[in-house]
Amino acid sequence: MPTYKAPVDDALFLLNDVFNYERYGNLPGFADATPDVVKAILEEGGKFAEEVLQPLNQIGDRQGCKRGDDGAVTTPEGFKEAYGQMAEAGWIGLIASPDYGGQGLPYTLGVILNEFISSANMAFGMYPGLSNGAYVALDKHGSDDQKALYLPRLASGKWSGTMNLTEPHCGTDLGLIRTKAVPQGDGSYKITGTKIFISAGEHDLTENIVHLVLARIEGAEEGVKGISLFVVPKFLPDGEGNPGDRNAVECGSLEEKMGIHGNATCVMNYDGATGWLVGEAHKGLRAMFTMMNEARLGVGIQGLAQSEVAYQNAAEYARDRLQGRALTGEAAPDKPADPIIVHPDVRRMLMNQKAFNEAARALVIWSALKADVTRGSHDEAEKQAAEDHMGLLTPVIKGVLTDTGFMNAVAAQQIYGGHGYIAEHGMEQFVRDARIAQIYEGANGIQALDLVGRKLPRDGGRAMMAFFKEVTDFVGEHGEDEAMKPYVEPLGKAAKDLERATMWFMANAMAKPDNAGAGSTDYMHLFGLVALAYMWAMIAKTAQGKLAAGEGDKEWLEAKLVTGRYFMQRILPETGAHVRRIEAGADTMMALPAEAF
Amino acid sequence: MPTYKAPVDDALFLLNDVFNYERYGNLPGFADATPDVVKAILEEGGKFAEEVLQPLNQIGDRQGCKRGDDGAVTTPEGFKEAYGQMAEAGWIGLIASPDYGGQGLPYTLGVILNEFISSANMAFGMYPGLSNGAYVALDKHGSDDQKALYLPRLASGKWSGTMNLTEPHCGTDLGLIRTKAVPQGDGSYKITGTKIFISAGEHDLTENIVHLVLARIEGAEEGVKGISLFVVPKFLPDGEGNPGDRNAVECGSLEEKMGIHGNATCVMNYDGATGWLVGEAHKGLRAMFTMMNEARLGVGIQGLAQSEVAYQNAAEYARDRLQGRALTGEAAPDKPADPIIVHPDVRRMLMNQKAFNEAARALVIWSALKADVTRGSHDEAEKQAAEDHMGLLTPVIKGVLTDTGFMNAVAAQQIYGGHGYIAEHGMEQFVRDARIAQIYEGANGIQALDLVGRKLPRDGGRAMMAFFKEVTDFVGEHGEDEAMKPYVEPLGKAAKDLERATMWFMANAMAKPDNAGAGSTDYMHLFGLVALAYMWAMIAKTAQGKLAAGEGDKEWLEAKLVTGRYFMQRILPETGAHVRRIEAGADTMMALPAEAF
């Protein structure tokens, strides 16, 4: 049976020491989140993830969700009770506004908690995760009446939310949406169509489900400009806001999937269901997009989360499993064989995971703090910079953390040898669960294209230039510091690779956009490597500072320094191969006719 | 529903044109295998894989194998009939000796057929695959009586075989084996112990199952030097060689696995089962190792096979699925969207797969021909060179083809977007099935260590020097040929990277063996890239020759040239990153104490 221990200490180190969390004290929610409060929240949240959610992870995978003949869906054993506890303890409304019964804490804390929950039970975490998405969309675009009705119920966890975008013939290309909305003259619409891949579309955890649905108002123009957003509750709220009549929407079937079996992935049939417009007509896609950064950050976190929990179990196994002898001679002569952690190739996999996880967590928290700025700052310049950061880094975080997170889960499974392929050890579940994060919320190829085609050139490259400046300034500032050289020299070199690739696009992709498309995934990963290396450089600086001051746990801080050097030596060199691939351009890639494949 | 088309044309091109198969005419079996015969066999074999085995692949995955209370195991619907047809048509004994009722055809043909079968239905293919392994072991090490009894029955497919190595506490480290063999004074032994992960350990396809079991004769010395090999039939053969009394061996349970559900992976309990020694006492491990090269080649083929079938389906999907518009403008203006094969990032994934599959197939066939030489040549120098080749290339083929094959299956699944995560499309099954090939028959980390620690230094580096010489000679010979420059220049550069890494090991790993372990996986992949690049250079040379001579299908040959260039530009640059990682050595990898993970 796999285990999990929430990395609370690492999160606190990042918040307090590396990113100096207290300097955001002027933002809403931060004043209440004193270091003691933050520590208590993360410890409690970690305990909830470890003790309540993690033990349900394998059960959820084995049992999956069941759909009855009436279209009702039952979640796995224990999910309902765990959800109840979660709502009761206020975790669901942790970052929701106090105006709607939430606790009003910083978004960043929600993000950290999200990692813990996703590590413990990714399928479970999607239920409250989607409610949070619906909350944000309605908070941003809903009318006052809609907010008053839905937000308190979503924040308390009494109701849950969903996002309905995909249809059988359209996923990425939402301009092809066919679901129809017919105005009824009373402000409501009748919604008709079929949506697929709807996570948490139907279940038994809450008394009502709030569907947010993209549809085309009858007569609207074709393509993305004719799409509107609607709120369609499973039960129509009565005058008091209690669930009333059943709406004409139901789960037609459950998808049989590779993983996240504990989450109900539904085909949803809307058969003249009653819905109400959210925000302006024909601007539904834009409304959806405003919450996309945070949703994509959430999926990136799932990649990190699976990597982390798989790593923890692999490390434990590597310390326990006796097999073979160290290349340097017997390490445990009193035992029939040495623990496999003595073998360099096992170490390689563990170090790859550790070096990634710790930097990825930093990248997530760094970006979450920027998201808090976009949410609450009144300083326009600071806000714009934070928005630029989020726009630029979000596709990187989503794409890189899920691709690498998946590969790390695969490597962690590998450490188990044959036992990793057997279900009872739980390692193969991490791999299967992690796999979806590369696909949904915009497949990673789309993230790469979003980065290269939109985020990079936007506003004359302002966001990218700011990122470069920050990294280059750091390199300049610490370049002469001997102790920092093992970090800043490779970082500087990698940043040069990124710059070179960026220049190459400028010179070669304007006239020939396929050159941008051909290099987009490599560019996304190159960017990710530079961002992660920057995180390690900052972590190293902080760790050195604390060690010099005699603060903190010496061994723990020294492990940070070693792990960061490992990242620079072993993971970062990949930037060179990315550049060479990018500079190869699109020619051989696009040369063959479609029939030649 | 996924489909499959056996790449018969590609195999014939490689056999006839690239490797000039007819020059092996002096080897046993080759004289009968005229080009017409080879073509007919591959076409028939391909049809069998496509029409009989492939339709059972998803059924096998869904139904899995079932164990009854009596320990009997039922294979999925249709497996028994397909197996009967396979045996009937003589496919199982294709390469077995005519002395034992086989067809005596070259091993290479068996290898090619193996790819087709593994693509069509990997779980099914393991049943005859294991029989072939048992055949080889008994042929090489069995007594005349054992051969007379078992070989004809294995070759006909009436009986099947298994390999019993792993125990709960030992996989890689077979020195820890506890299964006991007690001599009975009549030449037989009583075998007692538990074996796990036994593929095809129990099933309903054959009237008898021949278990080859590693065990320790009572009183034998500890470690690998006390291990012997035994043959333990499920039913004890009577005087006529028919299945008689039930032996004391049974399937205790079936493992619940990530994939290959159609194959029965058993825990086998030996409870004083009657068995007979195969070969010499205490030399069991050596007996097992003699068939290891071919077994590992077979697993490498599984990696290629899953990559190939996943690729074929992804290409079909990419031609059909309409989503978005080409970056260069509408490609199919009459349709609501363009087929996704217009998008460079989709192409990138397809080209990665295609460029790998075609070179990997060449590498497999090239090596299979060497295996035929080791099996049948009477020229000692040629035979030794072929054995050197097999020793050196086998871990590379096993490790690289399964690692890359798995990643390609993942990328093919990615092309399907959300649909790739849904079971009915079959793409996620390819990923789950492919995953095991990285683990069994020696986990890939073990392959890497075998390569670096044993195969590389063996005989003063003779095998490696021969490989270098062959590649360098080819580069020298064609370096001035303008048309060949796009192939030989990158190949020469990559070979230099390999040489540099080899030198680094020589200088740094003797005194500090962890440096070899730390770089072993990178070295294996670096080696694989050079070998695959060499295949592409040979293929390009052949294609250019045929084009110049006006022979063959022009478009097909030109596609080879493009695909080879793609490989050189986009895949081969990874060698540089491998070298840098290798040269980083073991320091940061081994620095942390075990508790720091």
Side-chain angles (χ1 to χ4, degrees):
Chain A
M1 271 268 298
T3 57
Y4 174 61
K5 178 91 184 61
V8 174
D9 287 347
D10 200 35
L12 290 173
F13 167 73
L14 291 165
L15 278 177
N16 296 324
D17 299 313
V18 179
F19 297 117
N20 190 12
Y21 166 82
E22 287 187 89
R23 79 187 146 108
Y24 295 91
N26 60 328
L27 295 180
F30 280 67
D32 297 336
T34 60
D36 284 353
V37 169
V38 168
K39 186 160 186 278
I41 287 172
L42 294 187
E43 279 171 356
E44 271 310 299
K47 227 165 82 179
F48 179 75
E50 293 161 9
E51 295 174 6
V52 178
L53 299 184
Q54 197 274 335
L56 298 175
N57 195 35
Q58 275 191 301
I59 295 169
D61 184 58
R62 274 187 202 157
Q63 294 186 358
C65 295
K66 306 258 184 301
R67 177 181 173 278
D69 291 339
D70 59 351
V73 171
T74 317
T75 53
E77 218 177 301
F79 271 42
K80 201 173 159 70
E81 293 70 24
Y83 184 86
Q85 276 183 262
M86 191 175 182
E88 182 84 8
W91 294 118
I92 295 176
L94 189 79
I95 62 169
S97 164
D99 298 348
Y100 303 112
Q103 303 201 35
L105 284 160
Y107 171 73
T108 301
L109 288 190
V111 156
I112 296 172
L113 196 71
N114 232 340
E115 186 203 320
F116 300 169
I117 292 171
S118 284
S119 280
N121 196 328
M122 176 165 154
F124 179 95
M126 293 170 66
Y127 294 104
L130 282 153
S131 297
N132 184 54
Y135 179 100
V136 174
L138 287 165
D139 188 32
K140 227 159 178 165
H141 303 283
S143 65
D144 288 342
D145 285 354
Q146 286 172 343
K147 289 192 214 182
L149 174 61
Y150 293 110
L151 296 190
R153 289 164 181 86
L154 287 168
S156 69
K158 272 181 83 170
W159 295 7
S160 69
T162 74
M163 302 288 159
N164 290 243
L165 288 75
T166 307
E167 299 182 4
H169 63 289
C170 74
T172 299
D173 189 353
L174 292 170
L176 303 176
I177 276 176
R178 290 180 194 145
T179 295
K180 222 172 42 184
V182 182
Q184 301 299 299
D186 62 350
S188 78
Y189 290 77
K190 291 279 181 211
I191 314 283
T192 303
T194 300
K195 295 286 182 179
I196 63 168
F197 303 160
I198 307 309
S199 300
E202 177 61 41
H203 57 76
D204 55 1
L205 302 181
T206 55
E207 63 171 41
N208 204 0
I209 301 177
V210 183
H211 301 292
L212 291 180
V213 184
L214 287 184
R216 202 179 291 284
I217 297 172
E218 221 177 19
E221 76 174 280
E222 288 201 1
V224 293
K225 287 180 185 160
I227 294 172
S228 307
L229 180 63
F230 297 89
V231 57
V232 185
K234 173 179 168 185
F235 292 100
L236 297 168
D238 66 16
E240 276 89 50
N242 293 316
D245 291 342
R246 185 71 163 82
N247 204 349
V249 46
E250 64 166 24
C251 167
S253 63
L254 286 177
E255 302 284 6
E256 204 187 308
K257 311 185 296 289
M258 185 181 192
I260 49 166
H261 295 160
N263 200 276
T265 307
C266 304
V267 173
M268 296 301 295
N269 296 324
Y270 292 83
D271 189 15
T274 299
W276 291 271
L277 189 65
V278 178
E280 284 181 65
H282 316 313
K283 301 213 165 145
L285 219 57
R286 213 157 67 186
M288 273 286 176
F289 276 27
T290 53
M291 54 184 219
M292 194 172 280
N293 281 343
E294 292 179 9
R296 289 180 168 181
L297 189 66
V299 176
I301 289 168
Q302 292 180 332
L304 160 61
Q306 294 306 295
S307 178
E308 171 67 30
V309 68
Y311 158 76
Q312 288 187 12
N313 284 279
E316 194 60 38
Y317 188 82
R319 275 188 292 259
D320 287 348
R321 174 78 170 173
L322 306 178
Q323 207 78 180
R325 289 295 182 183
L327 296 172
T328 46
E330 298 190 353
D334 53 320
K335 291 185 179 159
D338 291 338
I340 61 173
I341 202 165
V342 303
H343 302 307
D345 197 63
V346 170
R347 286 274 182 150
R348 177 185 61 83
M349 296 188 271
L350 289 174
M351 287 298 293
N352 279 346
Q353 295 156 40
K354 183 174 167 65
F356 167 80
N357 293 344
E358 296 175 12
R361 183 170 301 118
L363 188 58
V364 162
I365 291 178
W366 186 43
S367 298
L369 288 167
K370 303 281 185 183
D372 266 313
V373 172
T374 70
R375 281 169 164 242
S377 172
H378 296 292
D379 175 333
E380 282 310 314
E382 177 187 60
K383 199 167 167 170
Q384 187 186 72
E387 272 163 6
D388 284 356
H389 173 105
M390 281 294 282
L392 188 68
L393 268 295
T394 295
V396 175
I397 289 174
K398 198 282 185 181
V400 175
L401 268 53
T402 61
D403 277 355
T404 313
F406 173 74
M407 283 315 302
N408 284 347
V410 169
Q413 179 191 20
Q414 189 76 13
I415 289 174
Y416 272 67
H419 299 279
Y421 201 66
I422 308 298
E424 65 175 301
H425 297 286
M427 300 304 286
E428 58 93 38
Q429 184 189 346
F430 297 139
V431 172
R432 290 185 288 103
D433 286 355
R435 184 69 186 89
I436 188 60
Q438 299 172 279
I439 300 172
Y440 62 17
E441 200 57 44
N444 285 356
I446 298 299
Q447 304 299 328
L449 207 59
D450 177 48
L451 174 66
V452 168
R454 296 174 49 215
K455 301 302 176 55
L456 206 56
R458 183 183 280 179
D459 304 313
R462 188 178 65 208
M464 187 63 183
M465 285 188 284
F467 176 81
F468 265 131
K469 186 174 181 321
E470 178 163 352
V471 172
T472 318
D473 284 355
F474 187 94
V475 170
E477 198 174 330
H478 304 288
E480 297 309 307
D481 177 348
E482 272 308 313
M484 281 299 288
K485 271 193 182 159
Y487 308 95
V488 293
E489 277 186 5
L491 170 62
K493 200 166 170 306
K496 283 251 175 311
D497 281 339
L498 181 60
E499 198 177 0
R500 181 171 145 185
T502 311
M503 294 299 179
W504 192 88
F505 281 144
M506 286 175 67
N508 296 282
M510 305 283 187
K512 204 172 156 192
D514 277 347
N515 276 333
S520 55
T521 288
D522 278 296
Y523 188 85
M524 176 177 80
H525 280 279
L526 170 54
F527 199 133
L529 287 168
V530 173
L532 293 170
Y534 180 44
M535 295 301 105
W536 269 120
M538 285 209 276
I539 291 168
K541 183 71 210 154
T542 306
Q544 287 174 359
K546 283 178 76 87
L547 282 167
E551 285 168 16
D553 177 337
K554 189 162 171 287
E555 279 176 27
W556 194 87
L557 292 167
E558 280 170 351
K560 285 281 180 201
L561 294 176
V562 169
T563 310
R565 280 210 311 281
Y566 179 90
F567 184 92
M568 301 298 171
Q569 292 176 358
R570 286 262 168 187
I571 299 180
L572 199 57
E574 193 64 30
T575 57
H578 286 307
V579 173
R580 287 181 64 191
R581 282 195 283 268
I582 289 165
E583 292 181 349
D587 288 349
T588 53
M589 195 180 281
M590 304 305 286
L592 295 181
E595 318 78 64
F597 287 92
Chain B
M1 271 269 297
T3 58
Y4 174 63
K5 179 92 185 57
V8 174
D9 288 348
D10 200 36
L12 290 173
F13 167 73
L14 291 166
L15 277 177
N16 296 322
D17 299 313
V18 178
F19 297 116
N20 190 13
Y21 167 81
E22 285 186 89
R23 77 185 148 109
Y24 295 90
N26 60 329
L27 295 179
F30 280 68
D32 297 337
T34 61
D36 284 356
V37 168
V38 169
K39 186 161 187 278
I41 287 173
L42 294 187
E43 279 171 354
E44 272 309 301
K47 229 165 81 177
F48 179 74
E50 293 160 8
E51 294 174 6
V52 178
L53 300 184
Q54 196 275 334
L56 298 176
N57 195 35
Q58 274 190 300
I59 294 169
D61 184 58
R62 274 186 205 162
Q63 294 186 358
C65 294
K66 306 258 185 300
R67 178 181 173 279
D69 290 336
D70 58 352
V73 171
T74 316
T75 53
E77 219 174 302
F79 271 41
K80 201 173 159 69
E81 295 69 24
Y83 183 86
Q85 277 183 262
M86 190 173 186
E88 181 84 10
W91 293 118
I92 295 175
L94 190 78
I95 62 168
S97 164
D99 297 349
Y100 303 113
Q103 303 202 35
L105 283 161
Y107 172 73
T108 301
L109 289 190
V111 156
I112 296 172
L113 196 72
N114 230 342
E115 186 203 319
F116 300 170
I117 292 170
S118 284
S119 281
N121 196 325
M122 178 166 153
F124 180 94
M126 291 170 65
Y127 294 103
L130 282 153
S131 297
N132 184 56
Y135 179 100
V136 174
L138 287 165
D139 189 27
K140 236 169 172 159
H141 303 283
S143 65
D144 288 344
D145 284 356
Q146 286 172 343
K147 289 193 215 183
L149 174 62
Y150 294 109
L151 297 189
R153 289 164 180 87
L154 288 168
S156 69
K158 273 180 81 170
W159 296 6
S160 68
T162 73
M163 301 288 159
N164 290 242
L165 287 74
T166 307
E167 299 182 5
H169 63 289
C170 75
T172 298
D173 189 353
L174 292 170
L176 303 176
I177 277 177
R178 289 181 195 146
T179 295
K180 220 174 39 186
V182 181
Q184 301 297 299
D186 62 351
S188 75
Y189 291 76
K190 292 283 180 207
I191 314 282
T192 303
T194 300
K195 294 287 181 177
I196 62 168
F197 303 160
I198 308 308
S199 302
E202 177 60 41
H203 56 77
D204 55 0
L205 302 180
T206 55
E207 62 173 40
N208 204 359
I209 302 176
V210 182
H211 302 292
L212 291 180
V213 184
L214 287 184
R216 199 180 292 282
I217 297 174
E218 224 179 15
E221 76 173 283
E222 288 202 3
V224 294
K225 286 179 184 161
I227 293 171
S228 307
L229 180 64
F230 296 89
V231 57
V232 185
K234 173 178 169 187
F235 291 101
L236 297 168
D238 65 15
E240 277 87 51
N242 293 317
D245 292 342
R246 186 72 163 79
N247 204 350
V249 46
E250 63 166 26
C251 166
S253 63
L254 287 176
E255 302 284 7
E256 205 187 308
K257 311 185 297 289
M258 185 183 193
I260 51 165
H261 295 160
N263 199 276
T265 305
C266 303
V267 173
M268 297 301 293
N269 296 325
Y270 292 83
D271 188 16
T274 300
W276 291 271
L277 188 65
V278 178
E280 284 179 64
H282 316 313
K283 301 218 165 140
L285 219 60
R286 212 156 72 186
M288 273 286 174
F289 276 27
T290 55
M291 55 185 217
M292 194 172 278
N293 280 343
E294 293 180 6
R296 289 180 169 181
L297 189 66
V299 175
I301 290 168
Q302 293 180 330
L304 160 61
Q306 295 307 295
S307 177
E308 172 67 32
V309 67
Y311 159 75
Q312 288 188 15
N313 284 281
E316 195 61 39
Y317 188 81
R319 276 188 292 260
D320 287 349
R321 173 77 172 174
L322 306 177
Q323 206 79 180
R325 291 294 183 184
L327 296 172
T328 47
E330 296 188 356
D334 53 321
K335 292 184 177 156
D338 292 336
I340 61 172
I341 202 166
V342 304
H343 302 305
D345 196 64
V346 171
R347 286 274 184 151
R348 177 184 62 82
M349 294 188 271
L350 290 174
M351 287 299 290
N352 279 346
Q353 295 157 41
K354 184 175 167 63
F356 167 80
N357 293 344
E358 295 175 12
R361 185 171 299 117
L363 187 58
V364 162
I365 292 178
W366 186 44
S367 299
L369 288 167
K370 304 280 186 185
D372 266 314
V373 172
T374 69
R375 282 171 162 239
S377 173
H378 297 292
D379 176 333
E380 283 310 313
E382 180 187 58
K383 203 167 161 171
Q384 185 185 74
E387 271 163 7
D388 283 355
H389 174 105
M390 282 293 284
L392 189 67
L393 269 294
T394 295
V396 175
I397 289 175
K398 198 284 185 179
V400 175
L401 268 56
T402 60
D403 277 355
T404 315
F406 172 75
M407 283 314 303
N408 284 347
V410 169
Q413 179 191 20
Q414 189 74 13
I415 290 174
Y416 271 67
H419 299 279
Y421 201 67
I422 308 298
E424 65 176 301
H425 297 286
M427 300 305 285
E428 57 93 37
Q429 184 189 346
F430 297 140
V431 173
R432 288 185 289 102
D433 286 355
R435 183 69 186 89
I436 188 60
Q438 300 172 279
I439 299 172
Y440 62 16
E441 202 54 45
N444 285 356
I446 298 298
Q447 304 299 326
L449 207 58
D450 177 48
L451 174 66
V452 168
R454 295 174 50 213
K455 302 304 177 56
L456 205 56
R458 183 183 281 183
D459 304 312
R462 189 178 66 209
M464 187 63 184
M465 285 189 281
F467 176 82
F468 265 132
K469 185 174 182 323
E470 179 165 349
V471 172
T472 318
D473 284 355
F474 188 96
V475 170
E477 198 176 329
H478 304 289
E480 298 307 308
D481 178 348
E482 271 308 315
M484 280 298 290
K485 274 195 179 156
Y487 307 95
V488 293
E489 278 187 3
L491 171 61
K493 200 167 169 306
K496 283 247 177 310
D497 282 339
L498 181 59
E499 200 178 356
R500 180 172 144 183
T502 311
M503 294 298 178
W504 192 89
F505 280 144
M506 286 173 67
N508 296 282
M510 305 284 186
K512 203 171 158 192
D514 276 347
N515 275 332
S520 55
T521 288
D522 278 293
Y523 189 85
M524 177 178 78
H525 280 280
L526 169 54
F527 199 134
L529 287 168
V530 172
L532 293 169
Y534 179 46
M535 295 301 105
W536 270 120
M538 286 209 273
I539 292 168
K541 184 70 210 158
T542 307
Q544 287 174 359
K546 284 179 75 88
L547 283 165
E551 285 169 14
D553 178 337
K554 191 163 169 288
E555 282 178 22
W556 193 87
L557 292 166
E558 280 170 350
K560 285 281 181 202
L561 294 176
V562 169
T563 309
R565 281 211 308 282
Y566 178 90
F567 184 93
M568 301 297 171
Q569 292 175 358
R570 286 263 169 187
I571 298 181
L572 199 55
E574 192 64 28
T575 58
H578 286 306
V579 173
R580 287 181 63 191
R581 281 194 283 267
I582 290 165
E583 292 180 350
D587 289 349
T588 52
M589 195 180 280
M590 305 306 287
L592 295 182
E595 317 79 64
F597 288 92

